[in-house]
Amino acid sequence: MPTRGEQQVDMVIRKNRLGKRAALIGLLIGLFGGFETERLEENPFLLTSIAKAAEVKQASSVLVTERNEKKRKSDEPSETSKKSYQPTFKKYSMFNSAVYVYTSGTNETLKVSLGTSKLERLINMKMNKETAKINMGMFGPGSQHGGMYLVDGKYIQAPSARYISLHLYKDGRIDIANYDNKTFARSKLNQLKQQTNFVVGTSYALVQDGVKNLENAYRFSHSTQRNPRSLFGQLKDGRYILVAVDGRSGTSKGVTADQSALIMLKLGAVEAVNFDGGGSSSLVVRGKTVNRPTENRNIGSALFVVKK
């Protein structure tokens, strides 16, 4: 005769079995609502079949989930599968003007420089491993560069609301913002020192977030006139474009700010700004001036494309 302890153990085992059976019955009722509970309990073979079907369904669900996860991971571009680009140089005709475009390669980045003297020609300004360069900031009597100049954490010149600022963040992303020195916070400066390779003044915006935006253009009367231009932008895939537009000649009229923005959008820029133009406009590729400057003017600052 079983002891009291053995009877308690046997009761627990029976409850567990009843619980599993109830769960299986519930599953079948959910699938085949026409069956009666009493008939299910009288057919242990059917219950066993249900259990096996449930196990197969669960295993199939796990396999589908694993397969979907593998597909999702395979669809994500890896560091080694990202497309690689070689630098290119092309010439176009837009708005009855000659347009020269240098597009950076995957293994190139940007640098800026004030040169070695107060003002000098672009062709004479040098940077280690340079592949292309373009004149950049506005300048004038007593001013080598208009607007902010923050490079590699060194704060050389304060911002000015007249000159919109171009940012190169450490991840290679370009951004455009306008700062007024009167309201420029020290906390913002410290943030930019940590997050950017440089922040430099330009003139006015052309494209922001893939849309034409001529912020600050009203501050420059020549923005509505057709002139030689130096333009800079970033494509959606992260590459940079340096653009020079000839002007003031019978074969090349030059462009306005609005036309400059349309050119940059046509080239695929998602962010773009206007650099100093007119007689300063000059683009050098692999040591050779590729556009036709109207003057051999000395300039104050330049943007370089260099090999990483």
Side-chain angles (χ1 to χ4, degrees):
M1 185 152 185
T3 64
R4 183 177 181 80
E6 290 173 337
Q7 289 176 348
Q8 289 176 341
V9 171
D10 185 58
M11 187 178 297
V12 170
I13 293 172
R14 287 184 179 182
K15 284 183 179 180
N16 287 338
R17 288 175 178 170
L18 289 173
K20 290 180 180 178
R21 175 174 290 188
L24 293 172
I25 291 172
L27 174 62
L28 187 60
I29 290 174
L31 295 172
F32 312 101
F35 287 95
E36 296 178 359
T37 304
E38 291 79 2
R39 292 179 62 186
L40 291 173
E41 291 177 339
E42 293 171 0
N43 195 335
F45 175 76
L46 187 58
L47 287 175
T48 302
S49 298
I50 295 170
K52 290 182 178 179
E55 290 175 0
V56 170
K57 183 178 180 181
Q58 184 178 9
S60 176
S61 177
V62 170
L63 288 173
V64 170
T65 301
E66 290 178 350
R67 187 164 58 248
N68 289 340
E69 180 65 15
K70 288 180 180 179
K71 185 177 185 303
R72 183 187 67 79
K73 290 182 178 180
S74 67
D75 289 341
E76 293 179 353
S78 65
E79 289 298 320
T80 56
S81 66
K82 289 181 180 178
K83 190 170 183 180
S84 179
Y85 295 96
Q86 295 298 317
T88 62
F89 171 72
K90 295 181 180 181
K91 181 182 176 181
Y92 302 92
S93 179
M94 302 183 191
F95 299 107
N96 295 318
S97 302
V99 179
Y100 308 84
V101 183
Y102 181 86
T103 305
S104 69
T106 306
N107 295 318
E108 293 181 322
T109 188
L110 301 175
K111 298 282 187 180
V112 293
S113 174
L114 293 173
T116 56
S117 61
K118 186 70 175 177
L119 297 176
E120 57 187 310
R121 292 180 60 194
L122 177 65
I123 196 72
N124 295 329
M125 299 176 75
K126 304 297 182 182
M127 181 74 67
N128 189 34
K129 296 183 179 181
E130 69 177 68
T131 55
K133 54 191 171 186
I134 193 167
N135 67 294
M136 186 174 65
M138 301 283 186
F139 62 93
S143 174
Q144 186 176 358
H145 178 86
M148 189 170 181
Y149 201 87
L150 169 66
V151 180
D152 297 329
K154 296 179 181 179
Y155 188 44
I156 298 172
Q157 190 163 287
S160 166
R162 178 174 173 79
Y163 305 104
I164 203 159
S165 294
L166 171 69
H167 308 59
L168 174 64
Y169 284 89
K170 291 184 177 180
D171 62 2
R173 177 174 49 92
I174 288 294
D175 194 22
I176 302 167
N178 200 6
Y179 304 119
D180 188 335
N181 189 38
K182 296 178 181 178
T183 58
F184 188 61
R186 176 64 60 176
S187 58
K188 183 62 177 179
L189 174 60
N190 292 334
Q191 182 184 43
L192 293 176
K193 284 182 177 181
Q194 294 175 2
Q195 296 180 351
T196 66
N197 289 337
F198 64 71
V199 183
V200 292
T202 60
S203 59
Y204 50 85
L206 296 173
V207 178
Q208 289 184 277
D209 297 323
V211 178
K212 183 176 72 173
N213 187 330
L214 302 181
E215 183 180 358
N216 254 28
Y218 74 93
R219 296 180 183 272
F220 300 87
S221 59
H222 60 70
S223 66
T224 58
Q225 302 164 4
R226 299 188 67 152
N227 284 296
R229 301 288 178 186
S230 292
L231 318 173
F232 170 76
Q234 184 172 38
L235 305 180
K236 187 176 181 179
D237 59 24
R239 291 178 294 161
Y240 311 109
I241 52 175
L242 281 59
V243 181
V245 183
D246 286 343
R248 299 176 185 171
S249 75
T251 57
S252 188
K253 302 295 185 183
V255 291
T256 65
D258 186 75
Q259 291 168 335
S260 297
L262 293 176
I263 288 173
M264 298 306 275
L265 286 170
K266 181 71 174 177
L267 294 173
V270 293
E271 301 286 332
V273 294
N274 179 75
F275 285 165
D276 189 17
S280 302
S281 185
S282 184
L283 174 61
V284 174
V285 176
R286 298 181 185 91
K288 180 181 178 181
T289 302
V290 293
N291 67 320
R292 295 183 177 180
T294 57
E295 303 175 33
N296 287 321
R297 182 183 291 178
N298 292 337
I299 62 170
S301 59
L303 180 140
F304 292 76
V305 177
V306 299
K307 294 179 181 178
K308 292 181 181 178

